[in-house]
Amino acid sequence: MSRLPLQAGNWKMNLDHLEAIQLVQRLGYHLDDTDYDRTEVVVCPAFTALRSVQTLIEGDRLRIGLGAQDCHWEESGSFTGAVSPGMLAKLDVSYVVCGHSERRRLFGETDDVVNRKVRAVLAHGMTPILCVGESEEQRDQGRTESVVVGQVEACLDGVEDRQVAGMVIAYEPVWAIGTGRTAEPGEAGATCGVVRAAVAERRGTDAAEALRVQYGGSVKPGNIEALMRQADIDGTLVGGASLDPDDFAVICRWHRL
Ligand code: 13P
């Protein structure tokens, strides 16, 4: 089965709505239909910029998708500061990052919380980008596979196989995020393969073959080609380099390299 690669920019807590508009405009200049036919392109701005970026994408008919970086799992209610999946769906948000390691580490999100978010996002017709990945310590202990498989299993609890098939799982080794240290492409590809194999075992080969598995962690124009050459890597989740429209455009046009 051929899977359409997905290059997604996770802007994290960067860019106000004016800067966001500028970046998407510049990104749009770099990409044409031949790129979008080969690769799905998504940006994940901060909540405050979603509406502006949505309006720009719609107005200029850009083939750039919109993602959010997080959401709550409840529909509405007394959850000060939180944003519900319904609010995001109303803004034409297609993807929601769930369980990014920064949310897990800095905001105490557990697999159980991430699982609730994944299910809520699916219930609203959006696609979760479920993040998994081991810490440096876990890696040094040789526990990468068991940690990643454990997260996949726990965070997909109660999700139907056909829903898993439409999802995205991003393998992001924590030690490679924002550090400039990328997992060696072969190693990144192998762990993405572990994710797919875990899904195959639990959810069947149809779901595993359809599922898109991304790599994330210091993805740059200089390493995108080698990463995309890995059979089990179906795209990347990009932090720092997605804040530069020229760099992110190269990543989105990896097939031209
Ligand atoms: P960097 O690309 O800055 O390492 O961030 C990766 C990441 O966390 C994407 O979600």
Side-chain angles (χ1 to χ4, degrees), residues 169 171 187-197 213-215 232-233:
I169 298 182
Y171 166 58
E187 189 187 340
T191 310
C192 289
V194 167
V195 169
R196 198 180 309 284
V213 182
Q214 291 179 310
Y215 167 77
D232 278 310
I233 295 184

Side-chain angles (χ1 to χ4, degrees), residues 10 12 100 102 172 176-179 216-220 237-241:
N10 172 11
K12 309 191 180 184
H100 190 279
E102 285 151 15
E172 299 205 308
I177 294 177
T179 57
S218 299
V219 175
K220 302 272 183 288
L237 186 56
V238 188

Side-chain angles (χ1 to χ4, degrees), residues 146-157:
S146 64
V147 167
V148 166
V149 171
Q151 287 172 333
V152 167
E153 198 166 326
C155 297
L156 294 182
D157 189 43

Side-chain angles (χ1 to χ4, degrees), residues 136-249:
E136 182 153 36
E137 191 188 357
Q138 290 164 333
R139 172 181 149 92
D140 291 345
Q141 293 166 346
R143 293 171 54 210
T144 298
E145 288 198 15
S146 64
V147 167
V148 166
V149 171
Q151 287 172 333
V152 167
E153 198 166 326
C155 297
L156 294 182
D157 189 43
V159 178
E160 293 170 27
D161 296 350
R162 60 167 186 86
Q163 293 178 308
V164 173
M167 278 184 56
V168 179
I169 298 182
Y171 166 58
E172 299 205 308
V174 178
W175 49 270
I177 294 177
T179 57
R181 285 172 62 196
T182 322
E184 189 269 314
E187 189 187 340
T191 310
C192 289
V194 167
V195 169
R196 198 180 309 284
V199 170
E201 200 176 301
R202 289 159 183 80
R203 306 316 197 108
T205 47
D206 285 356
E209 285 303 309
L211 170 82
R212 287 183 291 179
V213 182
Q214 291 179 310
Y215 167 77
S218 299
V219 175
K220 302 272 183 288
N223 56 28
I224 187 66
E225 199 188 354
L227 288 165
M228 293 303 294
R229 239 187 267 128
Q230 303 297 315
D232 278 310
I233 295 184
D234 305 315
T236 58
L237 186 56
V238 188
S242 73
L243 297 173
D244 180 324
D246 303 328
D247 282 355
F248 191 53

Side-chain angles (χ1 to χ4, degrees), residues 5-70:
L6 170 64
Q7 309 292 17
N10 172 11
W11 296 355
K12 309 191 180 184
M13 198 171 72
N14 297 290
L15 308 185
D16 62 35
H17 71 289
L18 299 174
E19 294 165 330
I21 289 171
Q22 233 174 31
L23 191 150
V24 173
Q25 275 171 334
R26 284 180 58 188
L27 181 61
Y29 295 142
H30 285 298
L31 304 174
D32 61 33
D33 281 341
T34 56
D35 300 314
Y36 297 121
D37 289 345
R38 292 289 303 268
T39 304
E40 195 175 341
V41 177
V42 166
V43 292
C44 304
F47 289 134
T48 51
L50 283 174
R51 175 65 173 147
S52 311
V53 173
Q54 179 223 0
T55 308
L56 171 66
I57 288 173
E58 202 179 280
D60 287 6
R61 295 167 191 259
L62 295 173
R63 288 174 67 183
I64 296 174
L66 192 57
Q69 299 172 19
D70 182 36

Side-chain angles (χ1 to χ4, degrees), residues 94-109:
S94 311
Y95 292 90
V96 183
V97 178
C98 298
H100 190 279
S101 64
E102 285 151 15
R103 302 274 341 153
R104 293 175 187 261
R105 189 166 46 89
L106 303 170
F107 300 92
E109 287 191 11

